Amino acid sequence: MSGTEDEELAVMKDWWQRNGKPLLTGGLLALVVVLGWQGWQRYQAGQSQGASMLYQQLLETALTPSGQADTARVAELSGKLKSEFGGTTYAQFGSLFVAKVAVDAGKLDDAAAELKTVADKPANDTLGEVARQRLARVMAAQNKVDDALKLLDGDADKAFLASREELKGDLLVQLGRTDEAHAAYQKAKSALSEDAAVGGLQMKLDDLAKGDA
């Protein structure tokens, strides 16, 4: 072997000592990351499927001859949904259903508790807004109208602006603040598309106008 070849071999060995192990480690790390991500995706898919099945079973508790949900079964399934799939949107959809069952049974405190857990830490903006509006209605039924109104402070997504403003109007009517209620109803009406049904909303506006006459 010539001196030049010896020098090239020495340079290669030196390069490998300095870079070979980090490259190998980096390659293995990349492989672990890829396999880990694929495993995580499979886990998430399994979680979603399991949560979906439980949620479907929860909804089916209302399929009784009376139309009333089996409350014992609701408690069992909702508890399982929260404990096993608490991080999924299905768990929060389950809470909305449980709250509805509680309202139907006249258990407003239970309904408020379920809705508050979703409103405080929603899985997404849509769930947060739905929970907030439903919680406001429950609180109004508990004669906590001022607190209910505070829940609706701030901006709403365009998709929910009409329903939020109409709800604000309803709460303001309960408080006897008719001028503010009229303004809220008008804002709700303006947020609707031209072809949207505004019959019920228009009736509320007309009722306020009659009261002012």
Side-chain angles (χ1 to χ4, degrees):
M1 184 178 292
S2 67
T4 301
E5 290 175 336
D6 288 340
E7 290 173 2
E8 290 178 351
L9 182 58
V11 169
M12 185 179 294
K13 287 181 177 179
D14 179 63
W15 180 89
W16 178 254
Q17 286 294 327
R18 288 184 290 105
N19 300 291
K21 290 181 180 179
L23 284 174
L24 181 59
T25 302
L28 288 173
L29 180 60
L31 181 60
V32 168
V33 169
V34 170
L35 292 176
W37 174 247
Q38 291 175 343
W40 173 250
Q41 286 182 313
R42 287 194 294 271
Y43 170 76
Q44 287 290 81
Q47 285 285 94
S48 181
Q49 184 177 14
S52 174
M53 290 176 64
L54 263 181
Y55 178 64
Q56 184 62 38
Q57 291 176 40
L58 186 61
L59 295 182
E60 288 171 358
T61 61
L63 300 179
T64 61
S66 65
Q68 298 295 316
D70 180 341
T71 53
R73 184 67 172 151
V74 167
E76 176 192 347
L77 291 171
S78 63
K80 192 173 182 181
L81 192 56
K82 290 175 186 176
S83 63
E84 296 183 12
F85 306 103
T88 67
T89 55
Y90 284 107
Q92 295 199 343
F93 278 124
S95 289
L96 297 183
F97 179 78
V98 171
K100 178 185 180 303
V101 171
V103 168
D104 291 343
K107 299 178 179 179
L108 298 182
D109 289 345
D110 292 347
E114 287 288 342
L115 292 168
K116 192 174 186 304
T117 60
V118 181
D120 286 348
K121 198 173 182 180
N124 55 54
D125 291 342
T126 297
L127 275 167
E129 183 66 25
V130 170
R132 193 173 295 110
Q133 290 192 25
R134 292 186 184 182
L135 178 56
R137 290 191 180 281
V138 169
M139 292 176 72
Q142 294 175 304
N143 295 317
K144 300 176 182 177
V145 186
D146 285 306
D147 291 334
L149 198 56
K150 289 176 184 176
L151 276 178
L152 306 178
D153 284 343
D155 297 327
D157 185 270
K158 186 177 180 181
F160 293 100
L161 181 59
S163 60
R164 186 192 279 201
E165 289 300 321
E166 183 173 1
L167 177 53
K168 275 186 181 179
D170 294 344
L171 298 177
L172 288 163
V173 166
Q174 283 186 251
L175 293 171
R177 294 156 59 178
T178 54
D179 288 344
E180 293 173 78
H182 187 276
Y185 287 148
Q186 284 287 11
K187 192 172 180 180
K189 185 178 178 180
S190 298
L192 292 170
S193 60
E194 292 184 4
D195 58 345
V198 294
L201 187 55
Q202 187 60 53
M203 286 179 62
K204 292 177 182 180
L205 283 165
D206 292 343
D207 287 343
L208 286 179
K210 290 176 184 176
D212 292 337

